């Protein structure tokens, strides 16, 4: 390590915060590759008597450095809080599990009794969960109160491993007379889907002490939602339930409404962007009228709720003394329905509790309502004998039918009535307008549509989505990047995905590599390169592919000349990332 690097590290360590047993290197951007790079840090850890909290988030820790830090932790029996989010940026995915194993083994050896374990934003996938499996099963986690694993790319497999580990932890701690009392569980953006959510639900039901559950953006449909609903009934101290941006439909919403009737301490409910629909909203309103006495916030935004059901929800919060906010934005009330909703809230002297309605979708057509009702009725009949072992592909097809908000029926509307386009239409003939009109669940719908087992289709989807990128249009830019992340994260976090074949195909289509099959490259536009620049900076993008991409980008190529600015930005980013790794 260069002497100036050592000096910089020493200067950063001098700024280290020490607060009542806490040693913090938070957000210092330290690049810790080997034993020498953490020499000063290790000394600080070893000399810190009564170390209770260690903050490493916002740095990047390599395998050798992690093992050296772990060695220093082997005698820190007082350690209770490990704030280790976002600490593997730029690291190869293969490095992360053994690094986690080393740190976990050290905590076990030290006889630590953890209260907080935060490994969010590390994108370690299912193998990363295996890296903390033994720690979670051990006595070190018998006292765990908060487990934060947001945005880790666990997938279904990781969710099952996590659920099994928590189950063992609870059973073994219970056998010792002090059962696991987990209070906070956070695992948003992990692609848990139904099977992962169901496995975790079984663990939650056993644990029974949860106060906060945050599982947004996990691709969970009504079977998984129903399993979670059952589990929540067994957690009477539950205060916060956040399942934003999953897909309830009326069945999941009704199941959750029934579960909420058994709970008295819930203060915050976030079912926004969950497609609860009108019947689900009505069921939730009924629960609100009967219970949830200390509810403070309710989010049912973007749920295809019509005026009548929205008014039911509004009236149901009338006698909630602690109520603070009702979010019904992005539903299907229409202008008159929005006015009526505001009047109802005003009549209850709660006008200030109603959030904005600026994104209301407008009153639906009558035939659309009927079609949605028919869809739900048909789905219910199909699900009567549904078992957990039902073929996954059949379950996904059925769920897509309801998740995509009656897309097949949209073609029966009159040409004069502008309807939301379906995903196939967008991917066939992409445009910014079509992407935006897919609505708030666009990234999930696109992710479900793209078959990542087919590399060529994955490449094609990336190129189609990125082709409509607009740097000067914030809304379009955000929608494109969100959709790109949804497709590529699903691809790269799928164990069977052929990443090298994807890169080869992408290079061919960008005109950077000759094809043996004589495939014709696309006309490269700035959006292709701008979205690629975004993707390579994300945790899901394999570090080993960055070196390959950098080498090809360094070659002179006429196909990229019309996009010289975007090309140069991508090259600079690739250079920076390879230097960091």
């Amino acid at each position: 390590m260069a002497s100036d690097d050592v000096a910089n590290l020493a200067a950063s360590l001098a700024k280290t915060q020490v607060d009542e047993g806490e040693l913090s290197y938070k957000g210092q951007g330290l690049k810790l590759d080997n034993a020498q790079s953490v020499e000063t840090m290790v000394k600080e850890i070893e000399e810190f008597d009564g170390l209770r909290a260690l903050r490493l988030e916002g740095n990047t820790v390599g395998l050798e450095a992690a093992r050296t830090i772990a060695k220093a932790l082997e005698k820190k029996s007082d350690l209770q809080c490990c704030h280790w989010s976002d600490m593997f940026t730029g690291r190869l995915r293969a490095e992360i599990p053994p690094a986690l194993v080393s740190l976990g083994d050290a905590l076990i050896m030290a006889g630590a009794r953890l209260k907080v374990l935060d490994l969010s934003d590390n994108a370690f996938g299912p193998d990363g969960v295996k890296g903390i499996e033994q720690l979670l099963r051990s006595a070190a986690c018998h006292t765990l109160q908060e487990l934060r694993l947001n945005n880790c790319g666990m997938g279904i497999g990781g969710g099952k491993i996590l659920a099994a580990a928590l189950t063992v932890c609870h059973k073994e701690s219970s056998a010792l007379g002090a059962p696991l009392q987990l209070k906070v569980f956070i695992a948003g953006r992990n692609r848990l889907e139904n099977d992962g959510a169901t496995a975790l639900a079984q663990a939650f039901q056993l644990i029974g002490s949860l106060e906060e559950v945050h599982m947004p953006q996990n691709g969970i449909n009504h079977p998984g939602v129903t399993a979670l609903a059952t589990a929540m009934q067994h957690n009477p101290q539950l205060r916060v339930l956040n399942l934003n941006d999953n897909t309830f439909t009326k069945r999941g919403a009704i199941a959750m409404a029934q579960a909420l009737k058994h709970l008295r301490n819930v203060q915050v409910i976030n079912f926004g962007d969950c497609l609860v629909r009108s019947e689900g909203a009505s069921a939730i309103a009924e629960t609100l009228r009967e219970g949830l006495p200390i509810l403070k916030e309710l989010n049912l935004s973007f749920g295809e709720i019509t005026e009548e059901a929205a008014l039911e929800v509004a009236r149901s919060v009338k006698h909630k003394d602690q109520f603070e906010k009702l979010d019904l934005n992005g539903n299907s009330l229409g202008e008159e329905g929005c006015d009526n909703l505001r009047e109802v809230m005003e009549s209850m002297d709660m006008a200030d509790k109603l959030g904005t309605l600026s994104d209301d979708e407008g009153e639906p057509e009558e035939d659309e309502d009927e079609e949605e009702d028919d869809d739900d009725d048909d789905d219910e009949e199909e699900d009567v004998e549904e078992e957990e072992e039902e073929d996954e592909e059949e379950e996904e097809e059925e769920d897509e039918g309801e998740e995509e908000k009656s897309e097949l029926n949209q073609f029966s509307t009159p040409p004069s009535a502008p309807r939301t386009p379906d995903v196939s239409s967008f991917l066939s003939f992409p445009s910014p307008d079509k992407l935006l009109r897919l609505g708030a669940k666009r990234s999930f719908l696109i992710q479900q549509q793209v078959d990542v087992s087919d590399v060529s289709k994955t490449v094609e989807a990336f190129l189609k989505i990125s082709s409509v990128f607009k740097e000067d249009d914030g809304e379009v830019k955000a929608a494109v990047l969100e959709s790109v992340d949804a497709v590529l994260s699903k691809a790269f976090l799928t164990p069977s995905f052929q990443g090298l074949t994807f890169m080869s195909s992408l290079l061919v289509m960008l005109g950077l590599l000759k094809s043996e099959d004589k495939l014709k490259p696309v006309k490269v536009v700035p959006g292709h390169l701008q979205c690629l620049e975004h993707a390579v900076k994300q945790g899901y993008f394999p570090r080993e592919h960055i070196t390959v991409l950098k080498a090809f980008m360094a070659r002179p190529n006429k196909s990229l000349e019309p996009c010289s600015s975007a090309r140069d930005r991508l090259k600079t980013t690739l250079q920076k990332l390879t230097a960091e790794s």
Side-chain angles (χ1 to χ4, degrees), residues 377-393:
D377 290 341
D378 291 343
D379 288 340
E380 282 180 0
E381 292 176 7
E382 292 172 8
D383 278 355
V384 168
E385 297 181 358
E386 186 179 61
E387 300 292 335
E388 287 185 6
E389 66 269 23
E390 181 182 35
D391 180 77
E392 183 176 346
E393 180 179 347

Side-chain angles (χ1 to χ4, degrees), residues 163-284:
L166 290 174
T167 299
V168 170
C169 183
H170 183 269
K171 288 182 177 179
E172 293 190 356
S173 59
S174 297
L176 295 173
L180 171 67
Q181 294 288 304
L182 187 65
K183 295 180 180 180
V184 177
F185 179 84
I186 300 176
R189 300 184 65 186
N190 271 293
R191 293 178 52 246
L192 295 170
E193 302 182 22
N194 289 333
D195 288 350
T198 299
L200 284 167
Q202 293 170 352
F204 296 162
Q205 184 168 332
L206 182 68
I207 293 169
S209 58
L210 289 167
E211 296 180 9
E212 293 187 29
V213 174
H214 302 262
M215 297 174 66
Q217 290 184 301
N218 270 298
I220 306 170
N221 304 319
H222 70 87
V225 172
T226 300
L228 288 170
T230 300
M232 293 307 104
Q233 294 183 43
H234 297 269
N235 288 266
Q237 300 306 314
L238 187 70
R239 294 183 295 104
V240 179
L241 182 57
N242 176 8
L243 296 176
N244 186 281
D245 201 7
N246 290 291
T247 307
F248 284 35
T249 66
K250 74 176 185 183
R251 281 167 296 166
I254 290 172
M256 193 60 74
Q258 291 298 317
L260 290 171
K261 289 181 178 180
H262 298 270
L263 302 172
R264 302 285 296 175
N265 295 300
V266 176
Q267 298 177 17
V268 178
I269 296 174
N270 186 344
F271 297 160
D273 208 7
C274 283
L275 201 64
V276 299
R277 293 194 171 139
S278 296
E279 288 189 54
S282 294
I284 292 171

Side-chain angles (χ1 to χ4, degrees), residues 55-181:
R55 308 195 77 104
L56 296 176
E57 64 263 55
N59 301 290
T60 175
V61 183
L63 177 55
E64 184 181 341
R67 286 172 173 165
T68 307
I69 294 170
K71 194 70 176 175
L73 293 176
E74 289 179 357
K75 296 180 181 179
K76 296 299 171 181
S77 59
D78 294 328
L79 191 61
Q80 298 177 350
C81 303
C82 298
H83 300 282
W84 295 347
S85 64
D86 188 23
M87 70 172 200
F88 294 114
T89 301
R91 300 295 170 181
L92 295 175
R93 195 180 304 173
E95 287 184 87
I96 302 176
L100 292 171
V101 169
S102 296
L103 292 166
D105 287 349
L107 297 175
I108 295 171
M109 184 177 295
R113 294 294 182 265
L114 296 185
K115 291 184 178 180
V116 178
L117 179 60
D118 186 356
L119 289 166
S120 298
D121 300 316
N122 279 313
F124 47 51
D127 289 340
V129 185
K130 292 179 182 178
I132 59 171
E133 182 179 8
Q134 290 306 314
L135 173 63
L136 291 172
R137 288 169 172 257
S138 74
C141 285
H142 286 183
T143 52
L144 194 64
Q145 295 180 9
E146 298 184 17
L147 179 58
R148 301 172 181 267
L149 296 170
N150 200 58
N151 191 30
C152 288
M154 290 190 288
I156 294 173
K160 289 182 175 180
I161 295 169
L162 177 60
L166 290 174
T167 299
V168 170
C169 183
H170 183 269
K171 288 182 177 179
E172 293 190 356
S173 59
S174 297
L176 295 173
L180 171 67
Q181 294 288 304

Side-chain angles (χ1 to χ4, degrees), residues 452-464:
V452 297
S453 65
D454 188 324
V455 169
S456 62
K457 289 182 180 178
T458 307
V459 172
E460 181 182 4
F462 168 75
L463 294 172
K464 290 288 184 70

Side-chain angles (χ1 to χ4, degrees), residues 523-530 553 558-570:
K523 179 181 178 181
V524 181
V525 297
H528 291 144
L529 305 184
Q530 289 166 316
M553 288 298 298
K558 291 183 180 181
S559 69
L560 303 186
E561 288 180 0
C563 314
S564 58
S565 178
R567 176 200 63 196
D568 293 344
R569 282 176 53 187
L570 174 57

